[in-house]
Amino acid sequence: MSERWQRVADAIVDFRKHLSADFPAIEMAHLYDFTKPELYKASRKTAPHTKAGVYLFYDAEGKLLYVGKASWTFDKRIWQHEDIAEARYLDAIPFEWHLSHFGLALEYFLISRFKPPYNKHGSGYDYAAVGARAAAPTTEPESPEEPSIPRRDWRPAGMSTSDAYARFQKSTNIGYDDWREGTPYEMEAFAQMSQAQRDNVTAEMMAKDKLDWRDMEVLAAVNSRETFDRLRGLLSKQESAQTQAYALRELARMPNRMSGNVPDAKLRDVLLAVTSGDGLTPALLLVADYAGPWSKGVLLRGVRDRPDVAIHFASALLDNAGLSSDMAAFDPKFRPTLIKLLPENTPIERMAAFFKVCEWLKIDAEAVPGPQVTEWYKWAEETWPREVKREDDES
């Protein structure tokens, strides 16, 4: 048994002391060795990839980097962690479906025992807020139906607006497992509510000091000038990069609100604000749909000048250029070079990797302007010409 497995196995023995004696055996399985990518695709659709449970990322020395829980299947969950750049090994502890809830307890146990650096130890999950939502009354206001959201009527025959209101309110009572898995509010129920009910919910969201991405999704669905202004205010540099990224996602989805080069300009600002621990994943998810020359220029500068995010920015550029059949960060063609962009490598190694990324992108690395060059954005627009005529940026 490898040393990394032995440490976790010892912890599992301690965990089992809290379970009944007849609880089934808890076993670990090796999912992926990043140093042998050719073996992965062959096994990806087989057990234990198709099971649910706890998964563990390790670095090259076997140090535990992250513990997570997949509520559905490992294969759907683990590839949401492109941000764990140092990952070299991936193991799993599968549970049968009827026992999968024990995986949450084991996840807590292992995080508490090992304190992996990529786990936030539950930060961001507002137990007080969830408790307040659970205790809030759910009686809907009486009002005639005045649908204002231009959507088709999804309401099944016999369903009243009271049913929709109750369903939506129930969906806002987010438990920890749903929060971790990114379960949204039930927006279909929101669309089925009466106008007065939607107004009531919107007012509650607008009054919040801090908006969750789910709250932002509701405000975007309302698509009024007031909700647009509320979301646009979240693009302020005073907000976290993660808040800015989620707000931009919803703003860009709102019909007739952002056009021309505005999404590109705003994404540029978000990418300048992100760090390895703030907003990186939601910002990169916007690249495929909204990246233009300005935001791509920021990404390329980050590959060269920001070791903390260089590997992620490079992967985003390669994916955006359609150069990988899967995810560039895990593509065996690219990963050996991308790993050289990590902070622990020497400046010479990182610069060599930057030149290689530029070669793949068919960009002259020596022609890339320095960070102080005022013509940077002009160079970016010449390198990635816009497909449509540029409009004035929105302040």
Side-chain angles (χ1 to χ4, degrees):
M1 180 180 293
S2 68
E3 184 178 350
R4 75 172 192 276
W5 272 36
Q6 185 61 62
R7 293 195 300 271
V8 177
D10 291 342
I12 292 175
V13 170
D14 292 338
F15 176 75
R16 280 194 59 90
K17 294 176 182 177
H18 301 281
L19 305 176
S20 62
D22 60 348
F23 192 87
I26 300 177
E27 300 178 345
M28 281 197 298
H30 182 59
L31 281 190
Y32 191 29
D33 182 342
F34 289 96
T35 65
K36 300 176 181 177
E38 69 280 358
L39 301 179
Y40 172 64
K41 290 187 177 180
S43 63
R44 184 171 180 175
K45 300 302 180 183
T46 62
H49 292 81
T50 56
K51 290 182 175 290
V54 176
Y55 56 93
L56 310 98
F57 281 96
Y58 308 83
D59 67 10
E61 284 70 44
K63 176 184 176 182
L64 186 60
L65 298 174
Y66 182 83
V67 177
K69 178 181 177 292
S71 295
W72 297 105
T73 67
F74 291 118
D75 195 57
K76 290 183 178 297
R77 185 73 177 95
I78 58 180
W79 302 112
Q80 298 177 18
H81 293 292
E82 186 179 348
D83 56 316
I84 307 179
E86 302 95 316
R88 296 296 183 277
Y89 304 104
L90 177 62
D91 295 333
I93 305 171
F95 285 85
E96 295 300 326
W97 286 106
H98 68 290
L99 298 173
S100 61
H101 53 285
F102 284 95
L104 182 60
L106 179 57
E107 178 195 29
Y108 276 128
F109 187 86
L110 294 176
I111 290 173
S112 299
R113 171 69 63 88
F114 296 108
K115 296 180 172 55
Y118 278 87
N119 284 106
K120 301 300 183 183
H121 313 300
S123 65
Y125 184 66
D126 192 340
Y127 290 95
V130 170
R133 280 202 295 265
T138 59
T139 303
E140 67 278 13
E142 296 182 3
S143 172
E145 294 182 33
E146 297 178 5
S148 65
I149 299 179
R151 303 184 182 190
R152 64 183 177 88
D153 187 0
W154 286 314
R155 190 180 305 128
M159 174 174 282
S160 69
T161 58
S162 298
D163 297 328
Y165 189 86
R167 283 167 48 217
F168 179 81
Q169 291 290 355
K170 182 179 179 181
S171 75
T172 64
N173 186 18
I174 299 290
Y176 179 77
D177 209 16
D178 287 335
W179 176 81
R180 285 289 305 274
E181 292 297 317
T183 303
Y185 295 156
E186 192 167 341
M187 296 304 297
E188 182 175 328
F190 181 77
Q192 295 164 358
M193 286 155 43
S194 71
Q195 180 63 51
Q197 292 165 349
R198 288 196 293 267
D199 288 346
N200 183 55
V201 170
T202 302
E204 291 178 357
M205 302 296 178
M206 292 284 284
K208 289 186 176 183
D209 292 330
K210 184 177 182 181
L211 294 177
D212 180 82
W213 65 264
R214 300 168 181 85
D215 306 325
M216 298 182 202
E217 192 174 47
V218 172
L219 297 185
V222 174
N223 194 21
S224 68
R225 185 68 210 187
E226 292 74 21
T227 60
F228 174 77
D229 288 342
R230 179 76 162 92
L231 291 171
R232 186 171 60 172
L234 298 177
L235 296 179
S236 165
K237 293 181 180 179
Q238 310 305 318
E239 301 287 348
S240 69
Q242 178 156 303
T243 294
Q244 294 179 52
Y246 283 132
L248 177 57
R249 180 185 68 178
E250 298 307 327
L251 286 163
R253 290 174 175 176
M254 295 172 76
N256 305 318
R257 296 293 184 180
M258 282 189 165
S259 60
N261 69 335
V262 175
D264 180 31
K266 300 305 182 185
L267 180 55
R268 168 200 63 193
D269 296 340
V270 172
L271 290 169
L272 286 170
V274 301
T275 66
S276 59
D278 180 17
L280 182 62
T281 298
L284 292 180
L285 289 174
L286 298 173
V287 169
D289 292 326
Y290 306 114
W294 294 349
S295 47
K296 289 177 183 178
V298 169
L299 289 170
L300 190 61
R301 284 174 59 182
V303 177
R304 183 187 62 191
D305 302 332
R306 298 182 59 189
D308 63 320
V309 295
I311 186 173
H312 312 295
F313 282 15
S315 299
L317 284 168
L318 294 169
D319 288 334
N320 187 259
L323 298 179
S324 177
S325 59
D326 200 343
M327 294 174 63
F330 300 107
D331 191 321
K333 174 183 176 181
F334 300 119
R335 188 168 179 84
T337 296
L338 296 179
I339 288 174
K340 296 296 184 181
L341 294 168
L342 292 172
E344 60 263 28
N345 294 304
T346 67
I348 292 177
E349 290 174 318
R350 293 200 301 270
M351 186 57 67
F354 168 72
F355 269 68
K356 187 63 178 178
V357 170
C358 288
E359 178 184 326
W360 286 325
L361 295 171
K362 300 187 183 330
I363 291 173
D364 182 358
E366 294 184 350
V368 178
Q372 306 303 320
V373 176
T374 57
E375 296 297 311
W376 173 265
Y377 291 121
K378 179 180 178 182
W379 176 88
E381 291 196 349
E382 292 173 350
T383 303
W384 295 283
R386 294 188 184 277
E387 296 181 1
V388 296
K389 183 179 179 180
R390 191 181 79 189
E391 300 176 7
D392 291 337
D393 190 6
E394 179 177 307
S395 59

